[in-house]
Amino acid sequence: MWTLYLLMGITITTGTCAYLFFLWSVKRGQYEDPEGPKYRMLDDDDEIKKTPPKKRH
Amino acid sequence: MSECSHCLLHFPEREAVHDEIDGKELAFCCNGCRGIYRLIHTEGLDRFYDKRSWDDSAAGPTLPAATPEASLFEALIREIPAHEPGEPPLNEIEIYVGNIRCASCIWLNEKILSRTEGVVAARLNYATHMARIKWQPAKVELATLLERISSIGYLPKPYTESERHRAQSAEAKDLLIRFGTAAFLTSNLMIYTTALYAGYFQGVDAGMRHAMEIISLFLTLPVLVYSGYPFLRNTLIGLRSLHFTMDSLITVGAWSAFIYSVYSLFTGGGVYFDTSAMIVTLILLGRYIEATAKGKASMAIQMLTELVPKEARRLTSGSAEAVEGAETEQVALPLVKKGDLLLVKPGERIPLDGTVVSGQSEVDESVITGESRAVAKNPGSLVIGGSMNMFGSVVFEAAGTDKETLLSRIIQSVLEAQASKPRIQNMADRIVAWFVPGMILLALSTLAFYLFRGVPLETALMTAISVVVIACPCSLGLATPLAVLISSTVASSHGILLKNGEVIENVAKLTGLVFDKTGTVTTGKPVLKETLVIDDTLSAEELLKVAASLEKFSEHSAGHAIMEAAKGLHPYPVSGFHAVPGKGIEGTLKERSIVVGKASFLEERGIRVAEEIRRKVAAFEEEGHTPVYLGWQERLRGVFLVADSVREDAAQAIAALKKLGLKTAIVSGDTVTTTRAIAALVGVDEPVGGALPHEKRELVAQMQKRGERIMMIGDGINDAPALTEALVGVGMGRGTEIAMESADAILVRNRLEAVPFLVRLSKSTFSIIKQNIFWALVYNVAAIPLAISGVLHPIVAAGAMSVSSLFVVFNSLRIKKCGHSIS
């Protein structure tokens, strides 16, 4: 029987983590462009860039 | 039908833009697509065409756009100071990019911008079409970036979030968090509920059951208190005036299920925590759908509106006589006082009402009056704020401030109509208004009945609450928003933007339509209708060729019509071109001095126009034709008759609407004869001519007073009050800002055939909404006897809930199918 209690604990903990992740994603504006990612992942930037590579910092 | 080589749109052959790239003959639906194709080709990105897979036909106007002035964007630039010394400072801006219609447009804009020297980053939002650009101001100017965007056919626009829009997006975000929280908790709750159901059938350890019920309680509580807070608040507000809404239904249903369950938890009965949490979650989903759809439409509409600089050029010194070279300053419109002298250059809008002091020009007043004619303005004539100055520079004296113009009076009238427009409750709300009191009454009678029968108070109370629990239809809150969402998606893929969900219900109940004439039933752009050959030695084609050779230099709308008709004819070389605003043009061609224009202008140049010809022309003028006379060497050679042309799809659309049993009327500021002629041409029953803006509104108001439900379709500022007054106002996508503000729906592609489509779509959507509401209620209502007899079980409640919800979802999806079969 104790396994059930353990599983309950696990589901609630992972669930809470997922929930916090959701809150974080809303605050970060992840839902503001629901269309973009499906196109951007197809846009592989393998062609030669004409602009010099940008300095990252 | 041809297929566009770029966007795959099917379009009529004659609208095609042909091009040859690498020996391949290609046809495009518009110049925008051609530009994109050429650019993609020259950048060596042709494989894009092999990769993409879409059958997008949501075409918008993608003509090469004129670059807007960079000054309009200046206030939006943010400066980002350099992070490290030695690094150049950056500028950042967020602008809206118009004319985007597919993912490849976004991709292209990003590429074009990021390849520009000096641009650090450029990213477009696929959903909102907002571009965020970072660049080095030392290397590139904003004007260059704007030019890059417009060179490939897109239209950059400054966009500052309006207060209303900001509130809308904040509301949507709040709803998303509330819904997300509820969805998370409910889905966790479902794990325990499923276990409890399994336990019910297979047997479960009492201690374990109790533990799971307690966990359920704690998972449900935040859903009710936090996620359901807006409903709770609205219910309490509504309770004060005994006003029952959807919110009260949700609150009563969810909380009664919760209270009942808490009671059962201690007494050992069945729990309904899932019902309670599910109601709130589903309704929040409906609300979130509504909020996002609304936000999208309002932004799209805002972006359709025209750019009007809210500034005027005020003369600072010198006499008004010298139009050229007068010193001016830019002032904000509210600062202009009565009596100020303002300069308007060709191609600009006249900022205020006033009297011309010096200069000559022709002005297009069609947005205000609906008349598609250029009106000559000389010193002494009145000009109307909002009209377009076409040729010469003009100085005029302001007749008042920007609050006292004809335009602002029209806006005032729109606001009045808005205030007096009764808000019509939608079907679901109307049902809820009697369903909630009915449900409570039934619960109270159950309580009274059991008490009368001598049942203990506790049991009687719980039975009464169980009536409320089972009667509360949680899918009712989803019935309308889901149908409306799918319907608006279908509508927008056909070029119709709906501002709110009520439009669908209202359109479904229409009895008649009122069309504006100019710009709605007609294109608002004159075309050459007829050529009268006076000199028999010449052909009509030859006359056209001569006139077009001169008109090439003119900006006159009638001239455009002649140019358009002469397409394909090679013009003659012309020297010594000269235009006299309001009269006509002249020039030398083959050593003959040619005169084109009004009859009076030709007479001034010594060309006599015979009385007989004048009479003949007068008959045409009555029907709304504008004559353009052509003559040389003291003889009249021909007369061109130019008139506004009816939209190609107008007659078909009106016939389709009549078939649907709707009455049609046409209203115009033009003369009665012209209006009648157009009405007869497109088959409209009732023509009303010579109507002023407020008279259009009164006409609609009168018809509605007779019990008719009217849809008004218009585009001009003069239509705005009528659009607001009508049950449903429909604006044209190329209409004026105010017209679009006043409308409930916008025809983005300016096609009238969208109107019958909208009517049919609304009718089928509305019947689906009615079915949804019926089925959402029927399962719950059917279970009420069980509750009253006191044998209600959680399984029954869960069953009623899921069956009705699934029904609503699948039934709403049928709208997509309806959309296909209609079109």
Side-chain angles (χ1 to χ4, degrees), chain B residues 792-812:
Chain B
L792 179 67
H793 196 273
I795 297 285
V796 177
M801 193 171 68
S802 44
V803 171
S804 62
S805 301
L806 284 176
F807 184 91
V808 165
V809 170
F810 286 111
N811 196 36
S812 302

Side-chain angles (χ1 to χ4, degrees), chain A residues 1 4 8 11 15 19 22 26 32-33 35-36 39-40 42-47 50-51 54 57, chain B residues 47 51 83 103 107 110-111 114-115 120 123-127 173 176 180-181 184 192 208 212 215:
Chain A
M1 194 52 81
L4 273 179
M8 280 181 193
T11 52
Y19 178 62
F22 163 74
V26 173
E32 271 157 32
D33 185 5
E35 292 289 306
Y39 298 113
R40 280 189 211 286
L42 296 174
D43 173 23
D44 34 20
D45 269 323
D46 52 1
E47 85 255 26
K50 283 183 183 167
T51 43
K54 282 157 245 155
H57 49 86
Chain B
R47 71 194 163 89
K51 271 168 84 179
H83 283 295
W107 177 82
E110 283 183 355
K111 282 276 173 294
S114 54
R115 284 179 181 193
V120 178
R123 213 169 159 85
L124 267 82
N125 185 318
Y126 281 74
K173 204 167 182 173
L176 177 62
T181 309
F184 157 72
Y192 297 98
M208 179 57 81
M212 288 199 285
I215 294 174

Side-chain angles (χ1 to χ4, degrees), chain B residues 694-768:
Chain B
H694 72 270
E695 285 173 341
K696 286 189 179 184
R697 181 186 160 192
E698 274 158 28
L699 176 84
V700 171
Q702 263 172 24
M703 289 170 104
Q704 298 199 133
K705 217 170 258 170
R706 285 202 302 258
E708 293 199 46
R709 289 180 291 269
I710 299 296
M711 176 196 274
M712 169 83 199
I713 303 149
D715 68 322
I717 290 169
N718 57 335
D719 302 319
L723 286 173
T724 318
E725 184 70 41
L727 182 66
V728 183
V730 177
M732 302 301 270
R734 291 204 192 130
T736 49
E737 186 171 356
I738 298 155
M740 281 196 254
E741 261 310 303
S742 327
D744 303 298
I746 309 286
L747 306 181
V748 182
R749 291 181 218 160
N750 297 293
R751 301 198 68 97
L752 283 179
E753 62 191 11
V755 178
F757 176 80
L758 176 64
V759 173
R760 274 183 295 208
L761 179 69
S762 299
K763 276 184 195 251
S764 48
T765 305
F766 187 52
S767 75
I768 280 180

Side-chain angles (χ1 to χ4, degrees), chain B residues 512-584:
Chain B
L513 298 102
V514 177
F515 289 90
D516 164 52
K517 185 180 77 68
T518 317
T520 305
V521 172
T522 68
T523 57
K525 284 186 201 113
V527 294
L528 181 64
K529 283 288 162 92
E530 213 150 328
T531 310
L532 302 179
V533 184
I534 313 291
D535 182 349
D536 291 332
T537 60
L538 298 161
S539 68
E541 192 174 295
E542 176 65 16
L543 289 172
L544 196 60
K545 206 166 149 181
V546 172
S549 308
L550 268 87
E551 292 287 3
K552 203 171 64 174
F553 299 96
S554 140
E555 283 293 312
H556 199 281
S557 57
H560 273 298
I562 291 172
M563 285 282 298
E564 202 60 33
K567 238 186 193 172
L569 300 174
H570 290 286
Y572 294 114
V574 173
S575 60
F577 176 82
H578 175 66
V580 184
K583 290 184 170 176

